[in-house]
Amino acid sequence: MDASLAVTALGALAHEHRLAAFRLLVECGPEGLAAGVIAERVGIPASSLTFHLQHLLRAGLATQRRLGRQIIYAADFAAMNDLIGFLTENCCGRGLSARLTTAAACTTIAESSLAKRKAP
Amino acid sequence: MDASLAVTALGALAHEHRLAAFRLLVECGPEGLAAGVIAERVGIPASSLTFHLQHLLRAGLATQRRLGRQIIYAADFAAMNDLIGFLTENCCGRGLSARLTTAAACTTIAESSLAKRKAP
DNA sequence: ACTATATTTCTCGAATTATCGAAATGATCC
DNA sequence: GGATCATTTCGATAATTCGAGAAATATAGT
């Protein structure tokens, strides 16, 4: 993932309603959720929701598929992992070569969850 | 970290120049970098840079201190770790409690490549 | 074909964000 | 105290984003 893609993804998540919608999608897994349900749960009109879902789609953070008369959105976990990978490597002191004593500060998280996912 | 704080932080990073500046700060570690140097390296006028650095400050992603006649900015690694922690727990399928068989799916994706993500 | 349902597109005003030069502030050196 | 360097604040302008209703599109059932 390059910086400009990351900016797009970050921007897509940097909004109350979009973050809420995305978290909802994450909760539902690959199965996804119909647009109407998302709108209702997030508490915004359908047209507004579409506007925001388009953001997530453009950023590659969500996918869309039709199921009968409804359209199902699902979180794209791979994209989200890429984003977290980018942040971890480029914005957190990790993945930056030796001259950083900073690495230690960040190692904390490295243990707890991901980080070893992409051994150099 | 709560959602609204995360939105602020994501928004702060969701801009080409701010992300560039922040990455620069991360590279420099706690030692930080003078505003002038950042402006030069990012390639924008000083007044524009200030505007963006204020964003990072407000979001808690950077700190400010004066050193002689220059003002040194440094990345706040703890805040960044909090953000990554939030994303990992709330937006990535991990850290979501039991009723999710989805968690497994996300982990799988993380490990391998993804491809078969579209299973019913 | 007609009706109902689900969602998107369109449109436009309001609000926010971005850009940059000029002027103001703060600190240092003589 | 005056000159100078580093940075921020101000102000004007341009661009983008947001919100929501109305109209349009697609699907399903009768």
Side-chain angles (χ1 to χ4, degrees):
Chain A
M1 169 172 292
D2 70 339
S4 113
L5 194 54
V7 165
T8 306
L10 289 166
L13 293 176
H15 185 282
E16 181 192 351
H17 298 330
R18 286 195 293 270
L19 184 60
F22 187 74
R23 290 177 69 177
L24 214 49
L25 292 181
V26 167
E27 273 185 29
C28 291
E31 185 182 337
L33 217 54
V37 180
I38 304 175
E40 190 199 1
R41 295 239 210 132
V42 173
I44 58 176
S47 67
S48 298
L49 180 77
T50 296
F51 172 81
H52 291 300
L53 288 180
Q54 298 301 344
H55 262 251
L56 293 174
L57 282 180
R58 261 180 274 134
L61 288 169
T63 60
Q64 200 186 31
R65 70 177 193 276
R66 182 174 278 278
L67 184 70
R69 63 176 86 178
Q70 42 201 3
I71 294 190
I72 308 293
Y73 287 86
D76 186 322
F77 292 95
M80 190 60 200
N81 278 329
D82 280 355
L83 177 60
I84 292 186
F86 176 89
L87 293 177
T88 303
E89 292 196 9
N90 295 278
C91 301
C92 204
R94 272 172 296 228
L96 295 170
S97 50
R99 70 190 171 83
L100 284 188
T101 34
T102 329
C106 283
T107 313
T108 328
I109 281 189
E111 303 311 313
S112 65
S113 49
L114 46 157
K116 48 226 171 178
R117 173 161 57 85
K118 197 175 197 174
Chain B
M1 168 169 295
D2 69 340
S4 112
L5 194 55
V7 166
T8 306
L10 289 166
L13 293 175
H15 185 281
E16 180 192 353
H17 297 331
R18 285 196 293 271
L19 185 59
F22 187 74
R23 291 178 67 177
L24 216 48
L25 292 181
V26 167
E27 273 185 29
C28 292
E31 186 183 338
L33 218 53
V37 180
I38 304 175
E40 190 199 0
R41 295 238 211 132
V42 174
I44 59 177
S47 66
S48 297
L49 180 76
T50 296
F51 172 81
H52 292 300
L53 288 179
Q54 299 301 343
H55 262 252
L56 292 174
L57 282 180
R58 262 179 274 135
L61 288 169
T63 60
Q64 199 186 32
R65 71 179 194 276
R66 180 173 281 276
L67 183 70
R69 64 176 86 177
Q70 42 201 2
I71 294 189
I72 307 293
Y73 288 86
D76 185 322
F77 292 94
M80 191 60 201
N81 278 330
D82 281 355
L83 177 61
I84 292 186
F86 176 89
L87 293 177
T88 302
E89 291 196 10
N90 295 278
C91 301
C92 203
R94 275 172 290 231
L96 294 171
S97 52
R99 73 182 170 86
L100 285 188
T101 35
T102 327
C106 184
T107 310
T108 312
I109 288 168
E111 301 313 315
S112 63
S113 58
L114 68 141
K116 53 244 171 178
R117 172 162 53 86
K118 212 173 11 174

Short mmCIF file of all heavy atoms in Angstrom, two decimals, chain B residues 48-115:
data_model
loop_
_atom_site.label_atom_id
_atom_site.label_comp_id
_atom_site.label_asym_id
_atom_site.label_seq_id
_atom_site.Cartn_x
_atom_site.Cartn_y
_atom_site.Cartn_z
N SER B 48 1.35 27.18 5.61
CA SER B 48 0.51 26.01 5.34
C SER B 48 0.87 24.88 6.28
O SER B 48 0.00 24.17 6.79
CB SER B 48 0.67 25.55 3.89
OG SER B 48 0.25 26.55 3.01
N LEU B 49 2.17 24.72 6.49
CA LEU B 49 2.59 23.63 7.36
C LEU B 49 2.00 23.80 8.75
O LEU B 49 1.50 22.84 9.34
CB LEU B 49 4.10 23.56 7.47
CG LEU B 49 4.52 22.41 8.38
CD1 LEU B 49 4.40 21.08 7.69
CD2 LEU B 49 5.90 22.61 8.95
N THR B 50 2.07 25.00 9.27
CA THR B 50 1.54 25.24 10.60
C THR B 50 0.09 24.76 10.69
O THR B 50 -0.29 24.08 11.64
CB THR B 50 1.60 26.74 10.95
OG1 THR B 50 2.97 27.14 10.99
CG2 THR B 50 0.98 27.01 12.29
N PHE B 51 -0.67 25.14 9.68
CA PHE B 51 -2.08 24.71 9.63
C PHE B 51 -2.20 23.20 9.82
O PHE B 51 -3.01 22.72 10.61
CB PHE B 51 -2.69 25.14 8.30
CG PHE B 51 -4.06 24.61 8.05
CD1 PHE B 51 -5.17 25.22 8.62
CD2 PHE B 51 -4.24 23.48 7.26
CE1 PHE B 51 -6.44 24.72 8.39
CE2 PHE B 51 -5.51 22.98 7.03
CZ PHE B 51 -6.61 23.60 7.60
N HIS B 52 -1.35 22.46 9.15
CA HIS B 52 -1.44 21.00 9.21
C HIS B 52 -0.89 20.46 10.53
O HIS B 52 -1.44 19.50 11.09
CB HIS B 52 -0.72 20.39 8.03
CG HIS B 52 -1.41 20.65 6.73
ND1 HIS B 52 -2.70 20.23 6.47
CD2 HIS B 52 -1.01 21.32 5.63
CE1 HIS B 52 -3.06 20.62 5.26
NE2 HIS B 52 -2.06 21.28 4.72
N LEU B 53 0.17 21.06 11.01
CA LEU B 53 0.73 20.59 12.28
C LEU B 53 -0.28 20.80 13.41
O LEU B 53 -0.35 19.99 14.34
CB LEU B 53 2.04 21.31 12.59
CG LEU B 53 3.24 20.90 11.71
CD1 LEU B 53 4.48 21.68 12.10
CD2 LEU B 53 3.50 19.40 11.81
N GLN B 54 -1.04 21.87 13.33
CA GLN B 54 -2.07 22.10 14.35
C GLN B 54 -3.04 20.93 14.38
O GLN B 54 -3.51 20.51 15.45
CB GLN B 54 -2.83 23.40 14.09
CG GLN B 54 -1.98 24.66 14.11
CD GLN B 54 -1.26 24.90 15.42
OE1 GLN B 54 -1.60 24.31 16.44
NE2 GLN B 54 -0.22 25.72 15.39
N HIS B 55 -3.37 20.44 13.22
CA HIS B 55 -4.24 19.27 13.13
C HIS B 55 -3.66 18.10 13.92
O HIS B 55 -4.34 17.46 14.71
CB HIS B 55 -4.41 18.85 11.67
CG HIS B 55 -5.65 19.33 11.04
ND1 HIS B 55 -6.71 18.50 10.75
CD2 HIS B 55 -6.02 20.56 10.65
CE1 HIS B 55 -7.67 19.22 10.19
NE2 HIS B 55 -7.28 20.47 10.11
N LEU B 56 -2.40 17.82 13.65
CA LEU B 56 -1.76 16.69 14.31
C LEU B 56 -1.71 16.92 15.83
O LEU B 56 -1.92 15.99 16.61
CB LEU B 56 -0.34 16.48 13.76
CG LEU B 56 -0.27 16.01 12.30
CD1 LEU B 56 1.17 15.98 11.81
CD2 LEU B 56 -0.90 14.63 12.15
N LEU B 57 -1.47 18.16 16.21
CA LEU B 57 -1.43 18.49 17.64
C LEU B 57 -2.79 18.25 18.27
O LEU B 57 -2.91 17.57 19.29
CB LEU B 57 -1.03 19.95 17.84
CG LEU B 57 0.45 20.29 17.70
CD1 LEU B 57 0.65 21.78 17.95
CD2 LEU B 57 1.29 19.47 18.67
N ARG B 58 -3.82 18.82 17.65
CA ARG B 58 -5.18 18.69 18.19
C ARG B 58 -5.58 17.22 18.30
O ARG B 58 -6.28 16.83 19.23
CB ARG B 58 -6.18 19.43 17.29
CG ARG B 58 -6.54 20.80 17.79
CD ARG B 58 -7.52 21.47 16.83
NE ARG B 58 -6.82 22.15 15.74
CZ ARG B 58 -7.17 22.08 14.46
NH1 ARG B 58 -8.20 21.33 14.09
NH2 ARG B 58 -6.50 22.74 13.54
N ALA B 59 -5.14 16.44 17.35
CA ALA B 59 -5.48 15.03 17.37
C ALA B 59 -4.61 14.27 18.38
O ALA B 59 -4.81 13.08 18.60
CB ALA B 59 -5.31 14.43 15.98
N GLY B 60 -3.66 14.95 18.95
CA GLY B 60 -2.81 14.31 19.94
C GLY B 60 -1.74 13.41 19.34
O GLY B 60 -1.11 12.64 20.04
N LEU B 61 -1.53 13.54 18.04
CA LEU B 61 -0.56 12.66 17.39
C LEU B 61 0.85 13.24 17.40
O LEU B 61 1.81 12.55 17.08
CB LEU B 61 -0.98 12.39 15.94
CG LEU B 61 -2.19 11.47 15.79
CD1 LEU B 61 -2.70 11.49 14.36
CD2 LEU B 61 -1.84 10.05 16.21
N ALA B 62 0.96 14.51 17.76
CA ALA B 62 2.28 15.11 17.78
C ALA B 62 2.39 16.03 18.99
O ALA B 62 1.39 16.48 19.54
CB ALA B 62 2.55 15.88 16.50
N THR B 63 3.63 16.28 19.38
CA THR B 63 3.88 17.21 20.47
C THR B 63 4.77 18.33 19.96
O THR B 63 5.41 18.19 18.92
CB THR B 63 4.59 16.51 21.63
OG1 THR B 63 5.84 16.00 21.16
CG2 THR B 63 3.77 15.36 22.17
N GLN B 64 4.79 19.39 20.73
CA GLN B 64 5.45 20.61 20.33
C GLN B 64 6.35 21.05 21.48
O GLN B 64 5.92 20.99 22.63
CB GLN B 64 4.35 21.65 20.13
CG GLN B 64 4.68 22.83 19.32
CD GLN B 64 3.54 23.83 19.33
OE1 GLN B 64 2.82 23.95 20.33
NE2 GLN B 64 3.37 24.56 18.25
N ARG B 65 7.54 21.49 21.18
CA ARG B 65 8.33 22.11 22.22
C ARG B 65 9.28 23.14 21.59
O ARG B 65 9.67 23.00 20.43
CB ARG B 65 9.11 21.06 23.02
CG ARG B 65 10.25 20.41 22.28
CD ARG B 65 10.97 19.40 23.16
NE ARG B 65 12.23 19.00 22.60
CZ ARG B 65 12.40 18.05 21.68
NH1 ARG B 65 11.35 17.39 21.23
NH2 ARG B 65 13.60 17.76 21.22
N ARG B 66 9.58 24.14 22.35
CA ARG B 66 10.46 25.15 21.79
C ARG B 66 11.91 24.83 22.12
O ARG B 66 12.24 24.41 23.24
CB ARG B 66 10.10 26.54 22.35
CG ARG B 66 10.98 27.62 21.80
CD ARG B 66 10.51 28.99 22.23
NE ARG B 66 9.37 29.48 21.46
CZ ARG B 66 9.48 30.09 20.27
NH1 ARG B 66 10.67 30.22 19.71
NH2 ARG B 66 8.42 30.55 19.66
N LEU B 67 12.76 25.02 21.16
CA LEU B 67 14.19 24.83 21.37
C LEU B 67 14.88 26.03 20.76
O LEU B 67 14.99 26.14 19.55
CB LEU B 67 14.66 23.54 20.69
CG LEU B 67 16.13 23.21 20.92
CD1 LEU B 67 16.38 22.80 22.36
CD2 LEU B 67 16.57 22.09 19.98
N GLY B 68 15.30 26.95 21.63
CA GLY B 68 15.89 28.18 21.12
C GLY B 68 14.84 28.90 20.31
O GLY B 68 13.71 29.05 20.74
N ARG B 69 15.19 29.27 19.13
CA ARG B 69 14.20 30.01 18.36
C ARG B 69 13.39 29.13 17.43
O ARG B 69 12.55 29.60 16.67
CB ARG B 69 14.87 31.16 17.61
CG ARG B 69 15.87 30.74 16.58
CD ARG B 69 16.41 31.94 15.83
NE ARG B 69 17.53 32.57 16.51
CZ ARG B 69 18.18 33.62 15.99
NH1 ARG B 69 17.80 34.15 14.86
NH2 ARG B 69 19.21 34.13 16.62
N GLN B 70 13.66 27.87 17.48
CA GLN B 70 12.83 27.01 16.64
C GLN B 70 11.87 26.15 17.46
O GLN B 70 12.05 25.97 18.66
CB GLN B 70 13.65 26.15 15.70
CG GLN B 70 14.88 25.54 16.31
CD GLN B 70 15.89 25.14 15.24
OE1 GLN B 70 15.65 25.36 14.05
NE2 GLN B 70 16.98 24.54 15.66
N ILE B 71 10.85 25.68 16.81
CA ILE B 71 9.85 24.86 17.49
C ILE B 71 9.92 23.44 16.93
O ILE B 71 9.86 23.23 15.72
CB ILE B 71 8.45 25.45 17.32
CG1 ILE B 71 8.42 26.79 18.06
CG2 ILE B 71 7.40 24.50 17.86
CD1 ILE B 71 7.08 27.42 18.19
N ILE B 72 10.11 22.54 17.86
CA ILE B 72 10.35 21.16 17.49
C ILE B 72 9.08 20.34 17.63
O ILE B 72 8.43 20.36 18.68
CB ILE B 72 11.40 20.52 18.43
CG1 ILE B 72 12.66 21.38 18.48
CG2 ILE B 72 11.72 19.11 17.99
CD1 ILE B 72 13.43 21.43 17.20
N TYR B 73 8.73 19.64 16.59
CA TYR B 73 7.59 18.74 16.64
C TYR B 73 8.09 17.31 16.70
O TYR B 73 9.10 16.97 16.09
CB TYR B 73 6.72 18.93 15.41
CG TYR B 73 5.94 20.22 15.44
CD1 TYR B 73 6.51 21.40 14.97
CD2 TYR B 73 4.66 20.26 15.96
CE1 TYR B 73 5.80 22.60 15.01
CE2 TYR B 73 3.95 21.45 16.01
CZ TYR B 73 4.53 22.61 15.53
OH TYR B 73 3.83 23.78 15.59
N ALA B 74 7.36 16.50 17.46
CA ALA B 74 7.72 15.09 17.51
C ALA B 74 6.45 14.25 17.48
O ALA B 74 5.40 14.68 17.97
CB ALA B 74 8.51 14.79 18.79
N ALA B 75 6.55 13.09 16.88
CA ALA B 75 5.41 12.17 16.85
C ALA B 75 5.12 11.67 18.26
O ALA B 75 6.04 11.46 19.05
CB ALA B 75 5.72 11.01 15.92
N ASP B 76 3.84 11.52 18.55
CA ASP B 76 3.47 10.92 19.83
C ASP B 76 3.18 9.44 19.59
O ASP B 76 2.11 9.06 19.12
CB ASP B 76 2.24 11.62 20.40
CG ASP B 76 1.89 11.12 21.78
OD1 ASP B 76 2.03 9.90 22.02
OD2 ASP B 76 1.47 11.93 22.61
N PHE B 77 4.17 8.63 19.91
CA PHE B 77 4.07 7.22 19.58
C PHE B 77 2.98 6.51 20.36
O PHE B 77 2.34 5.58 19.86
CB PHE B 77 5.42 6.53 19.79
CG PHE B 77 6.46 6.99 18.82
CD1 PHE B 77 7.33 8.02 19.13
CD2 PHE B 77 6.57 6.39 17.58
CE1 PHE B 77 8.28 8.45 18.22
CE2 PHE B 77 7.51 6.81 16.66
CZ PHE B 77 8.38 7.85 16.98
N ALA B 78 2.76 6.96 21.57
CA ALA B 78 1.72 6.32 22.37
C ALA B 78 0.36 6.52 21.72
O ALA B 78 -0.45 5.58 21.61
CB ALA B 78 1.71 6.90 23.79
N ALA B 79 0.10 7.74 21.26
CA ALA B 79 -1.18 8.01 20.62
C ALA B 79 -1.34 7.18 19.35
O ALA B 79 -2.42 6.65 19.07
CB ALA B 79 -1.29 9.50 20.29
N MET B 80 -0.26 7.08 18.62
CA MET B 80 -0.33 6.29 17.40
C MET B 80 -0.60 4.83 17.71
O MET B 80 -1.39 4.18 17.02
CB MET B 80 1.00 6.43 16.65
CG MET B 80 0.94 5.86 15.25
SD MET B 80 -0.29 6.68 14.20
CE MET B 80 -0.55 5.44 12.95
N ASN B 81 0.01 4.35 18.77
CA ASN B 81 -0.25 2.97 19.17
C ASN B 81 -1.70 2.79 19.59
O ASN B 81 -2.31 1.77 19.29
CB ASN B 81 0.68 2.57 20.31
CG ASN B 81 2.04 2.15 19.79
OD1 ASN B 81 2.15 1.63 18.68
ND2 ASN B 81 3.07 2.38 20.58
N ASP B 82 -2.23 3.78 20.28
CA ASP B 82 -3.63 3.72 20.66
C ASP B 82 -4.52 3.62 19.43
O ASP B 82 -5.46 2.83 19.39
CB ASP B 82 -4.02 4.97 21.45
CG ASP B 82 -3.57 4.89 22.90
OD1 ASP B 82 -3.04 3.83 23.29
OD2 ASP B 82 -3.74 5.87 23.64
N LEU B 83 -4.20 4.44 18.46
CA LEU B 83 -5.00 4.43 17.23
C LEU B 83 -4.94 3.06 16.56
O LEU B 83 -5.97 2.48 16.20
CB LEU B 83 -4.51 5.51 16.26
CG LEU B 83 -5.24 5.52 14.92
CD1 LEU B 83 -6.72 5.79 15.09
CD2 LEU B 83 -4.62 6.56 13.98
N ILE B 84 -3.74 2.54 16.42
CA ILE B 84 -3.60 1.23 15.78
C ILE B 84 -4.32 0.18 16.62
O ILE B 84 -4.96 -0.73 16.08
CB ILE B 84 -2.12 0.89 15.58
CG1 ILE B 84 -1.54 1.83 14.53
CG2 ILE B 84 -1.95 -0.56 15.16
CD1 ILE B 84 -0.12 1.52 14.13
N GLY B 85 -4.23 0.32 17.92
CA GLY B 85 -4.95 -0.61 18.79
C GLY B 85 -6.45 -0.53 18.56
O GLY B 85 -7.12 -1.56 18.46
N PHE B 86 -6.95 0.68 18.45
CA PHE B 86 -8.38 0.85 18.20
C PHE B 86 -8.79 0.19 16.89
O PHE B 86 -9.77 -0.55 16.83
CB PHE B 86 -8.73 2.34 18.16
CG PHE B 86 -10.16 2.61 17.81
CD1 PHE B 86 -11.13 2.68 18.80
CD2 PHE B 86 -10.55 2.78 16.49
CE1 PHE B 86 -12.46 2.92 18.48
CE2 PHE B 86 -11.88 3.02 16.16
CZ PHE B 86 -12.84 3.09 17.16
N LEU B 87 -8.02 0.45 15.85
CA LEU B 87 -8.36 -0.12 14.54
C LEU B 87 -8.28 -1.63 14.58
O LEU B 87 -9.13 -2.33 14.02
CB LEU B 87 -7.40 0.42 13.48
CG LEU B 87 -7.51 1.91 13.16
CD1 LEU B 87 -6.46 2.31 12.14
CD2 LEU B 87 -8.90 2.25 12.66
N THR B 88 -7.27 -2.12 15.25
CA THR B 88 -7.09 -3.57 15.31
C THR B 88 -8.26 -4.23 16.04
O THR B 88 -8.77 -5.25 15.61
CB THR B 88 -5.78 -3.91 16.02
OG1 THR B 88 -4.71 -3.27 15.32
CG2 THR B 88 -5.55 -5.40 16.04
N GLU B 89 -8.67 -3.61 17.10
CA GLU B 89 -9.73 -4.22 17.91
C GLU B 89 -11.12 -4.01 17.37
O GLU B 89 -11.98 -4.87 17.49
CB GLU B 89 -9.67 -3.68 19.34
CG GLU B 89 -8.44 -4.16 20.07
CD GLU B 89 -8.58 -3.95 21.56
OE1 GLU B 89 -9.70 -3.60 22.00
OE2 GLU B 89 -7.58 -4.13 22.27
N ASN B 90 -11.36 -2.83 16.81
CA ASN B 90 -12.72 -2.50 16.41
C ASN B 90 -13.01 -2.61 14.94
O ASN B 90 -14.15 -2.66 14.53
CB ASN B 90 -13.06 -1.07 16.85
CG ASN B 90 -13.06 -0.93 18.34
OD1 ASN B 90 -14.03 -1.26 18.99
ND2 ASN B 90 -11.95 -0.45 18.88
N CYS B 91 -11.99 -2.63 14.15
CA CYS B 91 -12.21 -2.55 12.72
C CYS B 91 -11.55 -3.69 11.96
O CYS B 91 -11.41 -3.62 10.75
CB CYS B 91 -11.71 -1.23 12.18
SG CYS B 91 -12.50 0.18 12.93
N CYS B 92 -11.19 -4.69 12.66
CA CYS B 92 -10.42 -5.72 11.96
C CYS B 92 -10.86 -7.12 12.32
O CYS B 92 -10.21 -8.08 11.98
CB CYS B 92 -8.94 -5.54 12.29
SG CYS B 92 -7.90 -6.25 11.04
N GLY B 93 -11.98 -7.22 13.00
CA GLY B 93 -12.48 -8.55 13.34
C GLY B 93 -11.86 -9.14 14.58
O GLY B 93 -12.39 -10.05 15.18
N ARG B 94 -10.70 -8.59 14.96
CA ARG B 94 -10.08 -9.09 16.19
C ARG B 94 -10.67 -8.37 17.38
O ARG B 94 -11.10 -7.22 17.26
CB ARG B 94 -8.58 -8.85 16.16
CG ARG B 94 -7.86 -9.95 15.43
CD ARG B 94 -6.42 -9.56 15.28
NE ARG B 94 -6.33 -8.47 14.32
CZ ARG B 94 -5.50 -8.48 13.28
NH1 ARG B 94 -4.71 -9.50 13.10
NH2 ARG B 94 -5.46 -7.47 12.46
N GLY B 95 -10.64 -8.97 18.51
CA GLY B 95 -11.08 -8.31 19.73
C GLY B 95 -12.59 -8.22 19.85
O GLY B 95 -13.11 -7.71 20.82
N LEU B 96 -13.30 -8.73 18.87
CA LEU B 96 -14.76 -8.76 18.96
C LEU B 96 -15.19 -10.06 19.61
O LEU B 96 -14.72 -11.13 19.26
CB LEU B 96 -15.37 -8.65 17.57
CG LEU B 96 -15.11 -7.30 16.90
CD1 LEU B 96 -15.56 -7.35 15.47
CD2 LEU B 96 -15.82 -6.22 17.66
N SER B 97 -16.14 -9.94 20.49
CA SER B 97 -16.39 -11.09 21.37
C SER B 97 -17.03 -12.27 20.67
O SER B 97 -17.27 -12.27 19.47
CB SER B 97 -17.21 -10.64 22.56
OG SER B 97 -18.35 -9.95 22.11
N ALA B 98 -17.34 -13.25 21.48
CA ALA B 98 -17.62 -14.62 21.07
C ALA B 98 -18.51 -14.84 19.83
O ALA B 98 -18.14 -15.62 18.97
CB ALA B 98 -18.21 -15.38 22.24
N ARG B 99 -19.64 -14.18 19.78
CA ARG B 99 -20.62 -14.57 18.78
C ARG B 99 -20.12 -14.48 17.34
O ARG B 99 -20.85 -14.79 16.40
CB ARG B 99 -21.90 -13.76 18.95
CG ARG B 99 -21.79 -12.33 18.51
CD ARG B 99 -23.12 -11.63 18.78
NE ARG B 99 -23.04 -10.21 18.60
CZ ARG B 99 -23.19 -9.61 17.43
NH1 ARG B 99 -23.39 -10.31 16.35
NH2 ARG B 99 -23.12 -8.31 17.35
N LEU B 100 -18.92 -14.08 17.21
CA LEU B 100 -18.36 -13.97 15.89
C LEU B 100 -17.53 -15.18 15.51
O LEU B 100 -16.48 -15.43 16.07
CB LEU B 100 -17.45 -12.75 15.79
CG LEU B 100 -18.10 -11.39 15.70
CD1 LEU B 100 -17.03 -10.38 15.42
CD2 LEU B 100 -19.14 -11.39 14.62
N THR B 101 -18.02 -15.88 14.53
CA THR B 101 -17.16 -16.89 13.92
C THR B 101 -16.25 -16.18 12.94
O THR B 101 -15.33 -16.75 12.38
CB THR B 101 -18.00 -17.94 13.18
OG1 THR B 101 -19.12 -17.29 12.61
CG2 THR B 101 -18.44 -19.04 14.13
N THR B 102 -16.59 -14.94 12.76
CA THR B 102 -15.87 -14.13 11.78
C THR B 102 -14.41 -13.91 12.14
O THR B 102 -13.56 -13.78 11.26
CB THR B 102 -16.51 -12.74 11.69
OG1 THR B 102 -17.90 -12.88 11.92
CG2 THR B 102 -16.23 -12.14 10.37
N ALA B 103 -14.18 -13.82 13.41
CA ALA B 103 -12.82 -13.53 13.85
C ALA B 103 -11.82 -14.44 13.15
O ALA B 103 -10.78 -14.00 12.68
CB ALA B 103 -12.72 -13.69 15.36
N ALA B 104 -12.21 -15.70 13.08
CA ALA B 104 -11.36 -16.68 12.42
C ALA B 104 -11.07 -16.26 10.99
O ALA B 104 -9.92 -16.27 10.55
CB ALA B 104 -12.02 -18.05 12.45
N ALA B 105 -12.13 -15.87 10.29
CA ALA B 105 -11.98 -15.49 8.90
C ALA B 105 -10.95 -14.39 8.73
O ALA B 105 -10.11 -14.45 7.83
CB ALA B 105 -13.33 -15.03 8.34
N CYS B 106 -11.03 -13.41 9.59
CA CYS B 106 -10.11 -12.29 9.49
C CYS B 106 -8.69 -12.73 9.71
O CYS B 106 -7.78 -12.35 8.98
CB CYS B 106 -10.49 -11.21 10.51
SG CYS B 106 -9.49 -9.73 10.38
N THR B 107 -8.50 -13.56 10.72
CA THR B 107 -7.17 -14.05 11.02
C THR B 107 -6.60 -14.82 9.83
O THR B 107 -5.46 -14.63 9.43
CB THR B 107 -7.19 -14.97 12.25
OG1 THR B 107 -7.89 -14.29 13.29
CG2 THR B 107 -5.78 -15.29 12.70
N THR B 108 -7.46 -15.68 9.29
CA THR B 108 -7.04 -16.46 8.13
C THR B 108 -6.51 -15.55 7.05
O THR B 108 -5.42 -15.74 6.51
CB THR B 108 -8.24 -17.23 7.55
OG1 THR B 108 -8.90 -17.87 8.62
CG2 THR B 108 -7.77 -18.22 6.52
N ILE B 109 -7.31 -14.54 6.76
CA ILE B 109 -6.91 -13.59 5.74
C ILE B 109 -5.57 -12.96 6.07
O ILE B 109 -4.71 -12.82 5.21
CB ILE B 109 -7.98 -12.50 5.57
CG1 ILE B 109 -9.20 -13.11 4.89
CG2 ILE B 109 -7.45 -11.34 4.77
CD1 ILE B 109 -10.42 -12.24 4.93
N ALA B 110 -5.45 -12.58 7.31
CA ALA B 110 -4.22 -11.94 7.73
C ALA B 110 -3.02 -12.84 7.44
O ALA B 110 -2.01 -12.39 6.90
CB ALA B 110 -4.27 -11.62 9.21
N GLU B 111 -3.15 -14.11 7.81
CA GLU B 111 -2.05 -15.05 7.58
C GLU B 111 -1.78 -15.24 6.11
O GLU B 111 -0.72 -14.91 5.61
CB GLU B 111 -2.39 -16.42 8.19
CG GLU B 111 -2.65 -16.42 9.67
CD GLU B 111 -1.61 -15.64 10.47
OE1 GLU B 111 -0.41 -15.81 10.22
OE2 GLU B 111 -2.01 -14.85 11.34
N SER B 112 -2.79 -15.77 5.43
CA SER B 112 -2.56 -16.14 4.03
C SER B 112 -2.81 -14.99 3.08
O SER B 112 -2.51 -13.86 3.38
CB SER B 112 -3.44 -17.33 3.69
OG SER B 112 -4.80 -16.95 3.81
N SER B 113 -3.34 -15.29 1.95
CA SER B 113 -3.44 -14.22 0.96
C SER B 113 -4.81 -13.58 0.87
O SER B 113 -4.93 -12.38 0.71
CB SER B 113 -3.02 -14.77 -0.40
OG SER B 113 -3.84 -15.86 -0.75
N LEU B 114 -5.86 -14.33 0.92
CA LEU B 114 -7.27 -13.87 0.93
C LEU B 114 -8.13 -14.57 -0.10
O LEU B 114 -8.91 -15.40 0.24
CB LEU B 114 -7.43 -12.35 0.84
CG LEU B 114 -7.06 -11.59 -0.44
CD1 LEU B 114 -8.09 -10.50 -0.67
CD2 LEU B 114 -5.70 -10.94 -0.29
N ALA B 115 -8.06 -14.22 -1.33
CA ALA B 115 -8.65 -15.00 -2.43
C ALA B 115 -9.98 -15.69 -2.18
O ALA B 115 -10.97 -15.42 -2.83
CB ALA B 115 -7.63 -16.02 -2.94
#
